[in-house]
Amino acid sequence: MSKLQSSDKIPVTILTGFLGAGKTTLLNRILTEEHGLRIAVIENEFGEIGIDHDLVINADEEIFEMNNGCVCCTVRGDLIRILGKLRQRRDKFDHILIETTGLADPGPVIQTFFMDDDMKECFFVNGVVTLVDTKHALLHIDDCDEITAQIAFADRIILNKCDLVSTNEIDSLEAQVRSINALAIILRAVNTEIPIADVLAIGGFNLDHAMEVSPHFLEPKHHHHHHHDKTVTSVGIDEIGECDFQKLQQWLVAVTQKQGADIFRLKGVFATQGNENRLILQGVHMLIDAANGGAWGSRPRKNTLVFIGKNLDRQALIAGFRKCLVP
Amino acid sequence: MKLLTTGLLDDWVEAFAWRKDSQALLLTPTQGNTLEYSLSSSTLPRTFPGYGMNNGAAVYGPNDEICQPCGDGAIRIFRSEQDPQKIAIGREWISAVRWSPNGRHFATTYRKSILIFDAKGNQVEEFAEHKSSICDFCWNPHSPYQIVAVGDGGAKMWRIGKKAPLGHFDWGGASIFVTWSPDGRWVVTGDLTPSVHLYDFTRNYPLHIQGYETKVRSLSFDSTSEKLATAGGVTVIVWDCTGKEGPEGSVPLQLEGHTKNCTVVRFSPSGVLATGGQDGRVLLFEFETSTSPKLFENCHSAVTCIEWSPDGKKLAVGTEDGKYRIYEK
């Protein structure tokens, strides 16, 4: 029996969104369409996929606490068991899709992949895709914390059911979504009719691409009058120069230790002194994962960092980061 | 030890179970056909088809009936010359079935419940109060009606016939593996964070051991309950559990020899420790002579499974590539 090289990690896409946003329709499409991919789907316990499929697994969305002193460090206990089994059958599928319910914070799911050696060795988080019922979101985005969290965690947001609302309304919702999450790619759909490849983002959720596409979103927003200040915002930092790696590490650890519960995602590309490669950091709450982003080549050495979270003090974060720069 | 036989299963070797006469072995791959290999006869191995995505470890019952936890949410029991008895439990795969020490009951877990059956397969108990889905469970080898299960919220101990748990040991995190010492004194858990918790029943006293490199994936007591081997990293850590305080405050034996994480530890009935790692190595530690290992085998594929036969004369080794090797002294 030949096994995959351990460097062939399996991408995992996390699909979130409220009941009624269109997840079941989307999952059914993923399982029945001829896209040439073998996708293992882990559906939540209320899943109604209704297809008897060898690669559909039912999960009960259990949160396990990590006894490491951080109250926001929780992982999906049920996933550890399920993924442990899937790990043994790596050559049977190309992608894993995990569906979470609308009420669940996708944080613990993401953290599950960062916390465990076995997970890190076999899987990588390709990204979080949030499916939004546009009509429902317009009514509830101001008062529903769960919608805001799902938007804040997303790498890709699909505004579904666009046929039920006007273009103005979609534009307005998109602007609100953008003010929460500066980095996500936002797509519009009717009846989740969107290419599967776009949902699974085959080829990865390219951090660079996301950072390059929307640099102007890193600037402070002009707040409209008709909605109150959101507590979930994106803070972007963009600085030419190089960081002292130790200082950067210490600063990020200090920030995430103090504000971990409020930081939903952080993503950054850094130029560090003595390193000819780009340093990519991605975080969820208190967990930060580092990756080698390849050589800078002819690109200017600079640092781009985005925090998405609650109660973020923009000035303090910028000032704190600037202290990490090599003078 | 010489190699008696070797072969290939359908997939990664999930588990072995020896028959009590040490003459036959059940070999379960993670999916595909489970085999029963007979050492005493030259017939082809008997095959038991797998169901669904995953197999649970097949085990022998007290009358050598074969119990198979299946991927379709059922337990199948094969008694001689009959169609299997099928006990349907739920939708999700059944990961394990374990018989109590006196053979009167067997248990499985499903989601947050422990389910206990009599030898005929009738359900007699459901202990449903666990905080989360149960990750592992174990009978008390010393007291046939007691069972412990672990998950998030620590460990809960139950006794057949009692509605409320005998004990509850919650240290604030999740445990993934559990074992009970042969003398019944210690319940030991391997946790989600790299640590081990022990509960000492003689003193009703919990212990917490930290400092492991990675999650502790394998635990094994020797038959005297004196030594506890733990696998959580490259070094195998062996604790002395004798004395009033057990391992508390003591320095453990640290056994080197693996170049990658050790994933399986197993004491033989006579006290030889076999360990297997992701480096493909199987090491033997004979404590009488030294704490240096004998490199027993290099399997060139990560070791997933090791089981000594009850008579201590044979050793079965399974690896990630699906290969099994059976050795005899």
Side-chain angles (χ1 to χ4, degrees):
Chain A
M1 161 98 4
S2 73
K3 288 286 169 184
L4 292 180
Q5 301 297 325
S6 59
S7 58
D8 288 302
K9 292 192 196 183
I10 301 212
V12 180
T13 299
I14 297 158
L15 177 67
T16 183
F18 274 95
L19 209 59
K23 281 183 298 172
T24 307
T25 311
L26 184 55
L27 289 172
N28 275 299
R29 275 187 59 211
I30 286 173
L31 288 168
T32 53
E33 263 177 37
E34 295 282 327
H35 43 62
L37 293 166
R38 297 163 307 169
I39 301 172
V41 173
I42 302 174
E43 57 162 348
N44 68 66
E45 62 182 345
F46 304 113
E48 298 288 328
I49 288 182
I51 295 173
D52 207 6
H53 197 290
D54 216 26
L55 286 180
V56 175
I57 303 156
N58 197 240
D60 37 21
E61 300 210 78
E62 289 190 302
I63 306 297
F64 280 13
E65 284 169 19
M66 298 293 298
N67 192 29
N68 57 4
C70 169
V71 79
C72 58
C73 279
T74 53
V75 295
R76 280 277 300 271
D78 57 315
L79 278 186
I80 289 177
R81 239 176 29 252
I82 293 169
L83 290 163
K85 278 288 178 181
L86 286 179
R87 210 183 119 231
Q88 296 169 353
R89 306 189 62 193
R90 274 180 284 183
D91 53 339
K92 304 285 188 303
F93 49 89
D94 312 300
H95 205 114
I96 298 180
L97 183 67
I98 302 178
E99 183 216 359
T100 66
T101 60
L103 299 172
D105 172 356
V109 181
I110 301 174
Q111 285 172 166
T112 305
F113 292 94
F114 285 134
M115 286 307 291
D116 190 280
D117 283 353
D118 292 340
M119 299 300 157
K120 282 197 235 185
E121 194 218 335
C122 302
F123 306 110
F124 72 95
V125 179
N126 194 30
V128 178
V129 177
T130 296
L131 203 56
V132 175
D133 174 336
T134 309
K135 195 170 159 79
H136 178 262
L138 279 163
L139 293 171
H140 296 290
I141 195 169
D142 286 342
D143 53 49
C144 181
D145 285 344
E146 283 88 6
I147 296 184
T148 309
Q150 288 181 12
I151 289 168
F153 277 106
D155 297 282
R156 195 157 281 224
I157 298 167
I158 301 174
L159 300 177
N160 196 27
K161 307 196 182 181
C162 283
D163 51 319
L164 300 179
V165 293
S166 71
T167 310
N168 279 346
E169 287 176 302
I170 303 173
D171 289 343
S172 159
L173 179 65
E174 191 171 320
Q176 289 179 72
V177 165
R178 186 48 86 211
S179 74
I180 295 168
N181 186 331
L183 283 181
I185 291 171
I186 303 175
L187 301 168
R188 300 181 183 196
V190 171
N191 206 29
T192 70
E193 267 158 27
I194 210 166
I196 300 288
D198 281 353
V199 176
L200 298 178
I202 310 302
F205 282 87
N206 190 322
L207 184 65
D208 288 333
H209 178 68
M211 302 296 243
E212 280 157 17
V213 149
S214 47
H216 62 285
F217 291 115
L218 303 178
E219 284 145 27
K221 290 279 147 309
H222 163 64
H223 290 286
H224 298 281
H225 296 298
H226 69 266
H227 70 254
H228 58 75
D229 282 338
K230 301 247 172 309
T231 52
V232 178
T233 54
S234 293
V235 169
I237 300 172
D238 197 29
E239 301 276 342
I240 305 272
E242 279 191 338
C243 296
D244 173 321
F245 178 69
Q246 296 278 40
K247 286 188 181 161
L248 175 66
Q249 199 175 34
Q250 279 163 8
W251 174 67
L252 279 174
V253 166
V255 167
T256 55
Q257 292 267 355
K258 195 165 134 224
Q259 299 180 265
D262 285 344
I263 297 177
F264 293 156
R265 303 291 294 271
L266 82 84
K267 295 186 189 182
V269 182
F270 303 91
T272 51
Q273 194 177 39
N275 188 355
E276 63 187 20
N277 290 328
R278 295 146 77 233
L279 172 69
I280 296 186
L281 297 178
Q282 284 224 46
V284 172
H285 295 312
M286 272 174 60
L287 290 173
I288 304 178
D289 196 43
N292 180 338
W296 283 97
S298 55
R299 286 176 286 197
R301 291 175 74 90
K302 66 173 190 143
N303 305 280
T304 320
L305 169 60
V306 176
F307 289 89
I308 300 172
K310 287 200 270 198
N311 307 313
L312 299 176
D313 182 341
R314 193 164 183 276
Q315 299 310 324
L317 288 170
I318 293 175
F321 176 72
R322 283 190 177 144
K323 292 197 185 116
C324 303
L325 290 169
V326 171
Chain B
M1 281 206 136
K2 64 179 205 304
L3 182 67
L4 204 55
T5 188
T6 179
L8 203 61
L9 296 182
D10 288 340
D11 208 327
W12 153 325
V13 180
E14 171 80 24
F16 295 126
W18 284 95
R19 205 167 62 194
K20 57 185 188 289
D21 65 358
S22 299
Q23 293 303 311
L25 180 67
L26 291 169
L27 304 97
T28 305
T30 193
Q31 60 92 25
N33 295 329
T34 292
L35 301 186
E36 182 190 32
Y37 186 87
S38 171
L39 273 73
S40 53
S41 83
S42 54
T43 54
L44 286 172
R46 195 172 157 197
T47 59
F48 299 89
Y51 294 84
M53 265 202 78
N54 293 293
N55 292 325
V59 294
Y60 284 102
N63 297 314
D64 297 336
E65 57 271 67
I66 290 163
C67 311
Q68 189 190 11
C70 302
D72 62 351
I75 296 172
R76 286 174 172 77
I77 304 181
F78 296 80
R79 300 184 175 84
S80 52
E81 311 307 334
Q82 284 164 1
D83 281 335
Q85 175 186 12
K86 180 180 168 190
I87 304 171
I89 311 279
R91 228 174 110 179
E92 208 176 280
W93 79 84
I94 307 299
S95 16
V97 168
R98 299 196 174 116
W99 285 83
S100 70
N102 65 3
R104 298 240 184 96
H105 301 93
F106 62 89
T108 189
T109 56
Y110 193 80
R111 299 281 169 98
K112 299 184 172 79
S113 299
I114 302 176
L115 303 171
I116 301 189
F117 302 82
D118 65 20
K120 294 205 173 79
N122 303 308
Q123 187 175 319
V124 299
E125 287 284 11
E126 178 174 353
F127 297 127
E129 280 172 36
H130 279 260
K131 183 178 162 200
S132 76
S133 283
I134 292 167
C135 296
D136 197 11
F137 67 102
C138 182
W139 291 94
N140 183 344
H142 196 63
S143 186
Y145 302 104
Q146 291 180 9
I147 193 166
V148 64
V150 296
D152 192 27
K156 262 197 178 137
M157 293 80 154
W158 305 85
R159 195 193 189 284
I160 297 175
K162 262 184 82 95
K163 286 294 149 218
L166 286 184
H168 181 203
F169 173 28
D170 186 353
W171 52 275
S175 294
I176 308 295
F177 300 100
V178 67
T179 194
W180 209 318
S181 62
D183 63 1
R185 178 178 177 188
W186 303 95
V187 158
V188 186
T189 68
D191 310 319
L192 188 58
T193 47
S195 63
V196 160
H197 277 86
L198 294 92
Y199 195 82
D200 184 349
F201 285 99
T202 60
R203 296 180 291 156
N204 282 332
Y205 188 75
L207 290 177
H208 184 201
I209 302 177
Q210 291 173 293
Y212 285 94
E213 288 165 46
T214 76
K215 188 166 77 185
V216 174
R217 290 178 182 86
S218 186
L219 304 161
S220 178
F221 273 100
D222 73 327
S223 54
T224 64
S225 303
E226 284 175 9
K227 295 195 193 70
L228 170 66
T230 59
V234 171
T235 310
V236 177
I237 311 283
V238 181
W239 296 97
D240 180 344
C241 294
T242 56
K244 208 161 85 132
E245 294 180 347
E248 192 170 21
S250 72
V251 174
L253 276 177
Q254 297 183 77
L255 305 176
E256 308 291 348
H258 283 293
T259 54
K260 286 192 180 168
N261 286 337
C262 174
T263 48
V264 194
V265 290
R266 281 293 183 272
F267 271 107
S268 76
S270 63
V272 174
L273 178 65
T275 69
Q278 286 168 341
D279 52 5
R281 290 180 175 188
V282 177
L283 306 176
L284 292 183
F285 295 88
E286 291 172 29
F287 295 95
E288 305 306 317
T289 44
S290 78
T291 54
S292 294
K294 242 172 51 183
L295 171 59
F296 179 70
E297 181 74 76
N298 192 334
C299 302
H300 302 290
S301 171
V303 177
T304 52
C305 199
I306 294 178
E307 292 297 345
W308 293 94
S309 59
D311 64 6
K313 294 190 184 140
K314 300 178 200 63
L315 182 66
V317 175
T319 44
E320 217 178 80
D321 56 6
K323 209 162 171 190
Y324 61 88
R325 295 168 169 86
I326 305 174
Y327 303 88
E328 184 174 38
K329 276 198 181 137

